[in-house]
Amino acid sequence: MTKHTSQRKTASITKDMGVSSHRRVESLSLSKRTTRSQRHFKESALPVCDQNNDQDNDQDKISGKRKISALEETGQKQEERKAIIIEQTTPSSSTLPDQLWITSELTQNSSNEEEEGEEEDEEEVDWEDIALPDSYLQEKFTEAHIYNDVHVVLQNTRPPPKKSVWDTTYERMLREWMHNSHVATLIAHFIIRNQWCIFPETLALCYSVVPHHVQTQCSRQLDSNSDFTKGIQWLLTWWKDFFTITGSGLITRSFNDYGFLAGIDLIENRHSLRELLLERGIDDGDTILGLKDFTSRLVIKSGTRDTSAELFVAVLRALNYDARLVCSLQPMPYHIPAKRPNKKDPTTQEKRDTNRVHSIDIDFRTTTNKDISPKEDMQFSYRAPRVKSKPSVLNEWNTTRSKPPTVWCEVYTPHENRWICVDPVRGIYDKPKSMEPIATDRQNMMSYVFALGGNRDGCIDVTRRYSSRMAKVHRLRHRELTKREREGGFRPWSELLISALQPNTQSERKRQEEEEEELKLQKIKEPMPTSIQGFKNHSLYALERHLKKFQCLYPKEPIVGHIKGEPVYLRSSVKKVHTRDQWLRLGLVIKQNEQPIKQVKATPVSISGKRALEEAKLDGISMQSSCYGEWQTTPYVAEPVINGRVSKNKYGAVYLFTPTMLPEGASYIPNINTKKIATEMGIDFAPAVVGYEFIKKNYTPTVNGIVVPKENESVILSALKEYEERLSLEKAKALKEKAYEQWNKLIRSILIESRINDEYGK
């Protein structure tokens, strides 16, 4: 009775405590099933109940009863043990929570319930009940109510979104527009400076500052070539001592240097624009507001290198030399620079530090071998650092070893009938290749070099005279046109600009032709590049590695040189190749028994082509397109018209991509209404396919007009004329009726409005 009474009390208490208390008590219940024996406990092991499958059914019942009695005794012993532990670990029974006092009874109750539910499985499983040590129970009682909070911090590791194709295209076009606008403004700037060098006030002032002995020598310029050269050399010597250089002049600035102007209204802040540039350290040239300010630079005898060259051109013109102002434009680059790793990034800096070999400064006069560790001996720099002596401010820009300027001049010699390069900043005479900057100079990039004469009529592109890297010049001027742009007849913007700036003076036409011939000869004499990258898009030489997808070398000779063991070919050996369908659209067909000269990877864009590509991938086949050269083709010849019948292809049409594809004895009428007229008159015709359009991911043929026999052309044209006249009369009649209807509607609305106003008032 006592056991059943305690079980009822335990159940009632458990119901009052709720589900949460019941879960805590369940966590303290003993494990009744384990397969590992522990024999090192202080208490004796519990009796083990085994079952032998070989016994009969009676013995199984007896052993089952023994197990139940053993479990009851075990539960009582465990109850007594827990009570003893509670008394030892707590100073008073009143301080313990209520949950601990019911632990023993709940444990026995839960163990009995588990034993009753698992009694059916005891026949198949060998199990053993053991008593847990005192330390385990003590930890469970003391830490039963401790709950530690766990904080989980999720970092956003998602990469930043990439720019869309539209954003990239817009940014590229914006850079190109800015680059082109900058080129145009720089040309206008130097045209204005060149005009200042022609004004009589400027020429008079320049002539007055030239020493008398220099004037005398320059007056003999037409006597001989030596007198001509001596006069200019004397001028260079005098000018180098006369004029003081205070700055470099215009240099190339990147897009990021002017990025701060994006949020500034340049029209409203045009007067404070110079202060804004000076705050950013952008002070490249002299700020000259007019002719008076320009001539004042000659009075104060100082200015930038650009101003020095411009005033020297005025001095040459004052002494009756035929001089031109030559300027190397420094526009903002149009291309988007590649992203560099951030130097301030700690991860990047750590990688850089681990790969860097530090050098140790060692004084060999006071240091012995004992003072240097083996590691330091392996890391110290064997070569002493070179001390670079910075030149003085006055001689930084006008020495012969200084960097090339961006503005200089040219003088025409009648004795040799050519233009001679003169650099008044460094005092160099007739050395045009010395004006080209080094390839690594980012502040002086030679892309446009224009010569402005004294007749105020245009300017001439003389870049080839001074640059030996014309391939790089073309890359700096404009991007390469796409295939669609080339097929559409587009020309690079720089070519249109240069052709528009050409002078139209008839008196100097002969001199211009001679100069053009000279520049062409220099193109032929252009030296071979010394790097692999220099051969890319070169106008004279080519490497096989730089060939594009639809290009090949034919013939592969002559080999004009080698670079790093790779043969160099002439650019004239590079030929275009196309597929069979592409040649057909150009009016050519492949000859019989011709083998493709090149196999390229197929990149279909239509649905049918992509489907064929996927099927080839499933079969493990690489889909290739056969390409042929123009020398492997012959003009397309259509079948002639016979007995008034036009021969058609398998689609019932005639290919007419080019005028040469028209069949013999046929006429082409490009009008959409001719098909209806020819059908009504019973004349044989064929629709003319003039091209293809990419519509809904498929190539759709473009039909424009019809092809008819030549003898029926006049009949159809006369009928077409009558049809168009009748059609125009019908359109005029419909338009007239529509106008009458609109007028009728307007008049009725006015009458209704007038009647309402008369009856009801306004």
PDB file of all heavy atoms in Angstrom, residues 638-658:
ATOM      1  N   ALA A 638      23.923  32.073-110.519  1.00  0.00           N
ATOM      2  CA  ALA A 638      22.582  31.487-110.456  1.00  0.00           C
ATOM      3  C   ALA A 638      22.178  30.944-111.820  1.00  0.00           C
ATOM      4  O   ALA A 638      22.708  31.347-112.864  1.00  0.00           O
ATOM      5  CB  ALA A 638      21.585  32.539-109.980  1.00  0.00           C
ATOM      6  N   GLU A 639      21.231  30.054-111.809  1.00  0.00           N
ATOM      7  CA  GLU A 639      20.741  29.486-113.064  1.00  0.00           C
ATOM      8  C   GLU A 639      19.979  30.554-113.852  1.00  0.00           C
ATOM      9  O   GLU A 639      19.196  31.320-113.271  1.00  0.00           O
ATOM     10  CB  GLU A 639      19.829  28.290-112.778  1.00  0.00           C
ATOM     11  CG  GLU A 639      20.565  27.126-112.106  1.00  0.00           C
ATOM     12  CD  GLU A 639      19.649  25.951-111.878  1.00  0.00           C
ATOM     13  OE1 GLU A 639      18.481  26.030-112.340  1.00  0.00           O
ATOM     14  OE2 GLU A 639      20.087  24.969-111.249  1.00  0.00           O
ATOM     15  N   PRO A 640      20.183  30.623-115.149  1.00  0.00           N
ATOM     16  CA  PRO A 640      19.532  31.684-115.942  1.00  0.00           C
ATOM     17  C   PRO A 640      18.030  31.436-116.114  1.00  0.00           C
ATOM     18  O   PRO A 640      17.505  30.360-115.821  1.00  0.00           O
ATOM     19  CB  PRO A 640      20.270  31.599-117.282  1.00  0.00           C
ATOM     20  CG  PRO A 640      20.714  30.191-117.383  1.00  0.00           C
ATOM     21  CD  PRO A 640      21.023  29.736-115.982  1.00  0.00           C
ATOM     22  N   VAL A 641      17.348  32.473-116.627  1.00  0.00           N
ATOM     23  CA  VAL A 641      15.912  32.384-116.906  1.00  0.00           C
ATOM     24  C   VAL A 641      15.720  31.672-118.244  1.00  0.00           C
ATOM     25  O   VAL A 641      16.320  32.054-119.258  1.00  0.00           O
ATOM     26  CB  VAL A 641      15.279  33.788-116.937  1.00  0.00           C
ATOM     27  CG1 VAL A 641      13.810  33.697-117.310  1.00  0.00           C
ATOM     28  CG2 VAL A 641      15.467  34.480-115.592  1.00  0.00           C
ATOM     29  N   ILE A 642      14.885  30.634-118.244  1.00  0.00           N
ATOM     30  CA  ILE A 642      14.642  29.839-119.452  1.00  0.00           C
ATOM     31  C   ILE A 642      13.144  29.822-119.721  1.00  0.00           C
ATOM     32  O   ILE A 642      12.354  29.426-118.852  1.00  0.00           O
ATOM     33  CB  ILE A 642      15.189  28.406-119.291  1.00  0.00           C
ATOM     34  CG1 ILE A 642      16.697  28.435-118.994  1.00  0.00           C
ATOM     35  CG2 ILE A 642      14.900  27.585-120.533  1.00  0.00           C
ATOM     36  CD1 ILE A 642      17.278  27.076-118.689  1.00  0.00           C
ATOM     37  N   ASN A 643      12.769  30.283-120.939  1.00  0.00           N
ATOM     38  CA  ASN A 643      11.372  30.280-121.387  1.00  0.00           C
ATOM     39  C   ASN A 643      10.460  31.029-120.408  1.00  0.00           C
ATOM     40  O   ASN A 643       9.352  30.590-120.082  1.00  0.00           O
ATOM     41  CB  ASN A 643      10.862  28.847-121.588  1.00  0.00           C
ATOM     42  CG  ASN A 643      11.634  28.111-122.665  1.00  0.00           C
ATOM     43  OD1 ASN A 643      12.101  28.723-123.642  1.00  0.00           O
ATOM     44  ND2 ASN A 643      11.790  26.801-122.494  1.00  0.00           N
ATOM     45  N   GLY A 644      10.965  32.134-119.918  1.00  0.00           N
ATOM     46  CA  GLY A 644      10.149  32.951-119.023  1.00  0.00           C
ATOM     47  C   GLY A 644       9.931  32.378-117.643  1.00  0.00           C
ATOM     48  O   GLY A 644       9.044  32.838-116.912  1.00  0.00           O
ATOM     49  N   ARG A 645      10.738  31.400-117.256  1.00  0.00           N
ATOM     50  CA  ARG A 645      10.627  30.778-115.942  1.00  0.00           C
ATOM     51  C   ARG A 645      11.886  31.103-115.133  1.00  0.00           C
ATOM     52  O   ARG A 645      13.006  30.897-115.601  1.00  0.00           O
ATOM     53  CB  ARG A 645      10.478  29.257-116.064  1.00  0.00           C
ATOM     54  CG  ARG A 645       9.335  28.792-116.966  1.00  0.00           C
ATOM     55  CD  ARG A 645       7.976  29.117-116.369  1.00  0.00           C
ATOM     56  NE  ARG A 645       7.759  28.379-115.120  1.00  0.00           N
ATOM     57  CZ  ARG A 645       6.640  28.471-114.398  1.00  0.00           C
ATOM     58  NH1 ARG A 645       5.667  29.302-114.798  1.00  0.00           N
ATOM     59  NH2 ARG A 645       6.493  27.771-113.305  1.00  0.00           N
ATOM     60  N   VAL A 646      11.679  31.600-113.918  1.00  0.00           N
ATOM     61  CA  VAL A 646      12.794  31.946-113.020  1.00  0.00           C
ATOM     62  C   VAL A 646      13.120  30.726-112.162  1.00  0.00           C
ATOM     63  O   VAL A 646      12.220  30.156-111.506  1.00  0.00           O
ATOM     64  CB  VAL A 646      12.434  33.154-112.131  1.00  0.00           C
ATOM     65  CG1 VAL A 646      13.594  33.488-111.198  1.00  0.00           C
ATOM     66  CG2 VAL A 646      12.068  34.350-112.984  1.00  0.00           C
ATOM     67  N   SER A 647      14.382  30.302-112.206  1.00  0.00           N
ATOM     68  CA  SER A 647      14.798  29.155-111.391  1.00  0.00           C
ATOM     69  C   SER A 647      14.833  29.558-109.914  1.00  0.00           C
ATOM     70  O   SER A 647      15.329  30.630-109.558  1.00  0.00           O
ATOM     71  CB  SER A 647      16.177  28.665-111.840  1.00  0.00           C
ATOM     72  OG  SER A 647      17.131  29.706-111.717  1.00  0.00           O
ATOM     73  N   LYS A 648      14.322  28.677-109.077  1.00  0.00           N
ATOM     74  CA  LYS A 648      14.223  28.947-107.639  1.00  0.00           C
ATOM     75  C   LYS A 648      14.992  27.890-106.865  1.00  0.00           C
ATOM     76  O   LYS A 648      15.258  26.792-107.362  1.00  0.00           O
ATOM     77  CB  LYS A 648      12.758  28.967-107.192  1.00  0.00           C
ATOM     78  CG  LYS A 648      11.863  29.891-108.023  1.00  0.00           C
ATOM     79  CD  LYS A 648      10.416  29.739-107.627  1.00  0.00           C
ATOM     80  CE  LYS A 648       9.506  30.567-108.506  1.00  0.00           C
ATOM     81  NZ  LYS A 648       9.527  30.138-109.928  1.00  0.00           N
ATOM     82  N   ASN A 649      15.327  28.216-105.635  1.00  0.00           N
ATOM     83  CA  ASN A 649      15.994  27.243-104.769  1.00  0.00           C
ATOM     84  C   ASN A 649      14.955  26.347-104.098  1.00  0.00           C
ATOM     85  O   ASN A 649      13.751  26.422-104.404  1.00  0.00           O
ATOM     86  CB  ASN A 649      16.866  27.954-103.736  1.00  0.00           C
ATOM     87  CG  ASN A 649      16.072  28.945-102.894  1.00  0.00           C
ATOM     88  OD1 ASN A 649      14.845  28.907-102.866  1.00  0.00           O
ATOM     89  ND2 ASN A 649      16.760  29.832-102.222  1.00  0.00           N
ATOM     90  N   LYS A 650      15.394  25.522-103.191  1.00  0.00           N
ATOM     91  CA  LYS A 650      14.482  24.561-102.570  1.00  0.00           C
ATOM     92  C   LYS A 650      13.437  25.223-101.690  1.00  0.00           C
ATOM     93  O   LYS A 650      12.447  24.587-101.302  1.00  0.00           O
ATOM     94  CB  LYS A 650      15.273  23.539-101.754  1.00  0.00           C
ATOM     95  CG  LYS A 650      16.107  24.159-100.637  1.00  0.00           C
ATOM     96  CD  LYS A 650      16.893  23.082 -99.895  1.00  0.00           C
ATOM     97  CE  LYS A 650      17.735  23.694 -98.781  1.00  0.00           C
ATOM     98  NZ  LYS A 650      18.502  22.654 -98.056  1.00  0.00           N
ATOM     99  N   TYR A 651      13.648  26.489-101.345  1.00  0.00           N
ATOM    100  CA  TYR A 651      12.674  27.219-100.538  1.00  0.00           C
ATOM    101  C   TYR A 651      11.734  28.065-101.402  1.00  0.00           C
ATOM    102  O   TYR A 651      10.921  28.820-100.860  1.00  0.00           O
ATOM    103  CB  TYR A 651      13.379  28.129 -99.530  1.00  0.00           C
ATOM    104  CG  TYR A 651      14.308  27.378 -98.608  1.00  0.00           C
ATOM    105  CD1 TYR A 651      15.691  27.445 -98.770  1.00  0.00           C
ATOM    106  CD2 TYR A 651      13.809  26.583 -97.582  1.00  0.00           C
ATOM    107  CE1 TYR A 651      16.547  26.763 -97.934  1.00  0.00           C
ATOM    108  CE2 TYR A 651      14.655  25.897 -96.736  1.00  0.00           C
ATOM    109  CZ  TYR A 651      16.022  25.987 -96.918  1.00  0.00           C
ATOM    110  OH  TYR A 651      16.855  25.299 -96.081  1.00  0.00           O
ATOM    111  N   GLY A 652      11.850  27.986-102.738  1.00  0.00           N
ATOM    112  CA  GLY A 652      10.994  28.732-103.631  1.00  0.00           C
ATOM    113  C   GLY A 652      11.337  30.196-103.734  1.00  0.00           C
ATOM    114  O   GLY A 652      10.461  31.027-104.009  1.00  0.00           O
ATOM    115  N   ALA A 653      12.608  30.549-103.518  1.00  0.00           N
ATOM    116  CA  ALA A 653      13.051  31.946-103.573  1.00  0.00           C
ATOM    117  C   ALA A 653      14.378  32.015-104.314  1.00  0.00           C
ATOM    118  O   ALA A 653      14.924  30.994-104.773  1.00  0.00           O
ATOM    119  CB  ALA A 653      13.171  32.531-102.169  1.00  0.00           C
ATOM    120  N   VAL A 654      14.917  33.226-104.427  1.00  0.00           N
ATOM    121  CA  VAL A 654      16.195  33.475-105.092  1.00  0.00           C
ATOM    122  C   VAL A 654      17.084  34.234-104.124  1.00  0.00           C
ATOM    123  O   VAL A 654      16.657  35.250-103.543  1.00  0.00           O
ATOM    124  CB  VAL A 654      16.005  34.276-106.398  1.00  0.00           C
ATOM    125  CG1 VAL A 654      17.356  34.679-106.981  1.00  0.00           C
ATOM    126  CG2 VAL A 654      15.225  33.457-107.409  1.00  0.00           C
ATOM    127  N   TYR A 655      18.321  33.747-103.910  1.00  0.00           N
ATOM    128  CA  TYR A 655      19.282  34.458-103.078  1.00  0.00           C
ATOM    129  C   TYR A 655      19.810  35.666-103.843  1.00  0.00           C
ATOM    130  O   TYR A 655      20.307  35.537-104.965  1.00  0.00           O
ATOM    131  CB  TYR A 655      20.444  33.544-102.690  1.00  0.00           C
ATOM    132  CG  TYR A 655      20.051  32.447-101.727  1.00  0.00           C
ATOM    133  CD1 TYR A 655      20.465  31.138-101.932  1.00  0.00           C
ATOM    134  CD2 TYR A 655      19.276  32.730-100.607  1.00  0.00           C
ATOM    135  CE1 TYR A 655      20.113  30.127-101.042  1.00  0.00           C
ATOM    136  CE2 TYR A 655      18.918  31.731 -99.714  1.00  0.00           C
ATOM    137  CZ  TYR A 655      19.333  30.436 -99.944  1.00  0.00           C
ATOM    138  OH  TYR A 655      18.971  29.453 -99.066  1.00  0.00           O
ATOM    139  N   LEU A 656      19.688  36.828-103.213  1.00  0.00           N
ATOM    140  CA  LEU A 656      20.150  38.061-103.843  1.00  0.00           C
ATOM    141  C   LEU A 656      20.843  38.926-102.791  1.00  0.00           C
ATOM    142  O   LEU A 656      20.483  40.079-102.555  1.00  0.00           O
ATOM    143  CB  LEU A 656      18.967  38.811-104.476  1.00  0.00           C
ATOM    144  CG  LEU A 656      19.309  39.825-105.569  1.00  0.00           C
ATOM    145  CD1 LEU A 656      19.959  39.128-106.766  1.00  0.00           C
ATOM    146  CD2 LEU A 656      18.059  40.561-106.026  1.00  0.00           C
ATOM    147  N   PHE A 657      21.871  38.328-102.157  1.00  0.00           N
ATOM    148  CA  PHE A 657      22.609  39.058-101.126  1.00  0.00           C
ATOM    149  C   PHE A 657      23.456  40.176-101.725  1.00  0.00           C
ATOM    150  O   PHE A 657      23.669  41.207-101.089  1.00  0.00           O
ATOM    151  CB  PHE A 657      23.489  38.088-100.335  1.00  0.00           C
ATOM    152  CG  PHE A 657      22.718  36.962 -99.700  1.00  0.00           C
ATOM    153  CD1 PHE A 657      23.017  35.640 -99.972  1.00  0.00           C
ATOM    154  CD2 PHE A 657      21.666  37.225 -98.829  1.00  0.00           C
ATOM    155  CE1 PHE A 657      22.307  34.605 -99.387  1.00  0.00           C
ATOM    156  CE2 PHE A 657      20.943  36.195 -98.235  1.00  0.00           C
ATOM    157  CZ  PHE A 657      21.266  34.883 -98.521  1.00  0.00           C
ATOM    158  N   THR A 658      23.938  39.965-102.932  1.00  0.00           N
ATOM    159  CA  THR A 658      24.721  40.975-103.643  1.00  0.00           C
ATOM    160  C   THR A 658      24.162  41.119-105.057  1.00  0.00           C
ATOM    161  O   THR A 658      23.508  40.199-105.576  1.00  0.00           O
ATOM    162  CB  THR A 658      26.203  40.571-103.709  1.00  0.00           C
ATOM    163  OG1 THR A 658      26.322  39.319-104.399  1.00  0.00           O
ATOM    164  CG2 THR A 658      26.796  40.438-102.309  1.00  0.00           C
TER     165      THR A 658
END
